[in-house]
Amino acid sequence: MSDPLYERDQAAAALEEVARAAGPYLGSLDDRPVHDHKADHLLDLLDHPFPERGEGTMDTVRRLLHVGTGAATHSSGPRFFHFIVGGSTPAAQAGDWTTTLLDQVGGLWLTSPFATRAETVVLGWLKELFGLPSSYGAVLTPSATFANLTGLACARQWWGERHGADVTADGLAGLPRMPVLAGGYLHPSSRKALQILGCGRDAARILAADEVGRVDLAAMDRALGEIDGPAVIVANAGEVNAGDFDPIDAMADLAERHGAWLHVDGAFGLFAALSPRLSHLVRGVERADSVTSDGHKWLNVPYESGFAFVREPELMARSFGAWGAAYLPAGDDPHVNYNMLGPESSRRARALPIWATLRAYGRQGHREMVERHHDLALRLGAVVEEADDLELLAPVRLAVVCFRYRPPGVGEEELDALNAWIGAELLADGRVYAGTTTYRGVTALRPAIFNWRTTESDVDLLVSVIREIIARRPI
C-alpha cells in the first residue's frame, strides 16, 4: 500500500471493525483479569521492521485490535485499584469516539465553533457541579498536571505583576524566587508544574505538622508573615496515599489575611463537592484563586482530561495569550479562543466526552457514583478493621483505603518487606491491581476505588486474592 488517498473507501470499514471488537471486549471486562501476563507475547506483534510499503488499513487495524484486546492492561475494568484511575462511562466513551470521528481543531472559535461552544457549556456545568462561582475563568487541559500548570502559571503572572513585572513576556530574570508554601500533601504534579514554570521543582516550602503531612497552619501563618511581598499557597483536596484533605477553608483564611494566592489541587478530591455527606471536605474551595481537577479520574471520561478554574479570568489571557501572530485571532476577538487560556495550542475537542457523560447521568448520577465508591471504601475499611492480621493505617475519608498486613510477632522491617511482596504478587497475579506506598514510614497497600463499574464483588475479590497471597507467604 502507499498513499492513504487510495484507501479512503476503507475509513468507515476500519471504524466498523473497531465497533465489532468493542462489544465482546467491553462485555469481558467484568470477568477478565486486569492484566493477563500470559498474553504479553502478543506485544512482539507490534515490533517489526518499519515497512517500506504499508500493510494496508484493514490488516493494520485487525493487528492492533488483536494485540490490544489481549495484551493491554484493562484499567478501564472494575478491578483496577492502582494509582487513582477511573474508567470510561458508556456515554463518555461514545463521546470520545465522536471526538476522533469529527477531529475538530478545538483551540479557536474560527476553526470549530462546535468544539468551542461544547467546551464553554461543559466548563459552566463543571463549575455548577463543584460549587464554584460562575464568574471564574476556566479551560480544559489534558490532565491535572496541565491544570496545575495553568493555575500556577496564573499565580506566577499575578505574583510578577505585584513586583511590577510581566513574567509571561519577560521571564523571571531579576525577580526574587516566588514563595510557594504547602503542607506535606503537595502532589508531584504541582512540583512538576513549578519545575516547568521555572520556579523550581523543590521550591515549595513544606510546613507539615506530623509525619503524615498534615499542614501546620500556625507555622504557615508565621511564614507568610515573614515574607516580604506576595506568596502562593497550595492546598490539596485529596491526598493520594490515604485520601486525606488539607483544611481548605482555614488556608483560604490565611491567604486572605496575608494577601496570598490560594491554589487548590483537587485532582480527585474536588468530587467530594458532589455529595452532601462529603462536601465538608472541600469547604472553602470557592474562595480559592485557582482550582484544578481531573476528568479521567472520578468523572470517568477517557484519558486525557483535566480542568482548571481561575478566579480572575483576565489572568488566563495574560498568562497564555497575546502571541502577536498575524494569522491568529487578536486579543480583542469577541469569541473565546481556548488555546489562549491554557498551555496547549493544538487541542482536540476534549469537551465532547465530558458533555456526553454529564448530560447522560446528570448531577444525581455522578453523586450516586461518588457515594457508592465511598460506601465500597468504607466496606473494605471495615473488613480490614475486623481482621486480626490487617491494620487500617488511616481513616477512610473518601475512596482510598490505606492498610497493611500485620500478623502478630513480626518486626517492622520484616513487615515492610512482607507488604511489598504482597503488592508485587498482586500485580503478578493480575486478577486485581493495587499498588503499595510508604505511609507513616511503613509500607502499605492503598487500593483506590474510582471506576464506575466497580461493585461489592470486585472489592470482595481484592480481599480474597490478598488472602490467597498471604496463605502462600514465605516463612
Side-chain angles (χ1 to χ4, degrees):
M1 300 297 171
S2 53
D3 192 329
L5 177 67
Y6 301 115
E7 290 213 340
R8 59 186 170 185
D9 61 336
Q10 299 294 305
L15 294 177
E16 288 169 2
E17 191 76 15
V18 177
R20 278 193 294 273
Y25 176 72
L26 294 173
S28 74
L29 286 177
D30 287 345
D31 299 313
R32 69 162 59 203
V34 176
H35 190 91
D36 182 0
H37 295 280
K38 296 177 182 177
D40 285 349
H41 69 278
L42 292 172
L43 299 175
D44 293 337
L45 297 176
L46 297 174
D47 189 10
H48 55 75
F50 180 61
E52 180 63 30
R53 293 179 60 83
E55 302 294 335
T57 298
M58 299 307 296
D59 181 77
T60 299
V61 170
R62 292 184 185 115
R63 173 70 62 94
L64 187 61
L65 287 168
H66 175 60
V67 175
T69 56
T73 299
H74 309 296
S75 52
S76 56
R79 295 185 296 277
F80 188 92
F81 303 118
H82 207 354
F83 302 108
I84 296 178
V85 175
S88 297
T89 63
Q93 198 159 55
D96 199 60
W97 285 24
T98 304
T99 303
T100 300
L101 174 68
L102 300 178
D103 194 23
Q104 297 292 280
V105 181
L108 300 172
W109 172 273
L110 176 67
T111 54
S112 182
F114 166 61
T116 304
R117 183 62 179 273
E119 185 159 352
T120 301
V121 169
V122 301
L123 288 169
W125 286 353
L126 289 167
K127 284 185 277 188
E128 187 176 344
L129 188 71
F130 296 136
L132 297 173
S134 61
S135 58
Y136 275 37
V139 69
L140 298 179
T141 67
S143 64
T145 299
F146 265 73
N148 282 328
L149 177 68
T150 303
L152 290 169
C154 292
R156 186 188 64 166
Q157 179 67 15
W158 165 88
W159 173 82
E161 289 174 2
R162 274 148 183 76
H163 285 277
D166 182 349
V167 298
T168 299
D170 302 319
L172 295 166
L175 293 171
R177 171 172 279 188
M178 184 175 79
V180 180
L181 288 73
Y185 294 160
L186 184 69
H187 191 269
S189 66
S190 291
R191 292 186 182 276
K192 189 172 187 178
L194 292 169
Q195 169 188 330
I196 294 169
L197 291 168
C199 300
R201 182 196 62 198
D202 300 327
R205 182 175 175 185
I206 303 302
L207 300 162
D210 54 31
E211 62 180 347
V212 170
R214 295 182 183 92
V215 64
D216 188 332
L217 290 172
M220 183 171 285
D221 191 12
R222 290 192 299 271
L224 287 166
E226 295 166 358
I227 293 171
D228 183 16
V232 175
I233 300 171
V234 179
N236 263 71
E239 179 267 341
V240 293
N241 288 322
D244 199 10
F245 285 68
D246 278 327
I248 298 171
D249 215 19
M251 294 172 81
D253 288 340
L254 290 181
E256 289 182 7
R257 186 180 310 144
H258 294 280
W261 178 285
L262 177 61
H263 173 79
V264 176
D265 177 356
F268 66 91
L270 190 58
F271 284 83
L274 278 59
S275 168
R277 65 163 121 139
L278 298 169
S279 60
H280 66 280
L281 296 169
V282 290
R283 186 177 296 121
V285 70
E286 73 285 351
R287 300 169 61 192
D289 296 286
S290 54
V291 182
T292 64
S293 191
D294 231 337
H296 51 246
K297 290 184 170 63
W298 226 341
L299 192 61
N300 276 252
V301 300
Y303 275 73
E304 306 153 336
S305 179
F307 329 127
F309 308 95
V310 179
R311 177 182 293 278
E312 296 183 37
E314 299 79 9
L315 272 168
M316 302 178 76
R318 295 204 295 276
S319 299
F320 295 104
W323 297 338
Y327 70 96
L328 291 173
D332 59 356
D333 189 331
H335 298 115
V336 62
N337 295 295
Y338 283 104
N339 70 351
M340 297 184 179
L341 302 181
E344 294 176 282
S345 298
S346 300
R347 309 169 78 250
R348 75 196 306 257
R350 65 169 52 90
L352 304 191
I354 302 171
W355 182 90
T357 204
L358 290 176
R359 186 182 188 276
Y361 314 115
R363 182 194 302 276
Q364 180 175 335
H366 288 91
R367 184 189 73 237
E368 289 176 0
M369 179 174 64
V370 166
E371 292 182 343
R372 174 166 56 87
H373 289 160
H374 181 234
D375 287 340
L376 291 173
L378 292 173
R379 175 189 177 91
L380 177 56
V383 169
V384 170
E385 288 194 295
E386 291 167 5
D388 293 335
D389 58 349
L390 299 178
E391 178 185 15
L392 190 65
L393 296 173
V396 177
R397 303 295 302 278
L398 203 56
V400 180
V401 185
C402 188
F403 68 98
R404 66 172 175 168
Y405 176 51
R406 188 179 186 181
V410 179
E412 288 296 324
E413 186 173 331
E414 188 178 348
L415 281 175
D416 284 344
L418 187 54
N419 279 275
W421 175 80
I422 292 171
E425 288 294 301
L426 270 174
L427 300 183
D429 178 276
R431 281 176 289 171
V432 295
Y433 255 40
T436 58
T437 190
T438 299
Y439 185 76
R440 285 175 19 199
V442 302
T443 300
L445 300 165
R446 49 154 310 279
I449 303 168
F450 289 90
N451 189 291
W452 68 275
R453 293 175 177 268
T454 303
T455 64
E456 291 182 355
S457 64
D458 302 303
V459 172
D460 292 347
L461 179 62
L462 171 65
V463 175
S464 176
V465 173
I466 289 173
R467 282 294 178 201
E468 288 180 30
I469 292 170
I470 288 172
R472 63 174 189 265
R473 79 177 213 191
I475 299 175

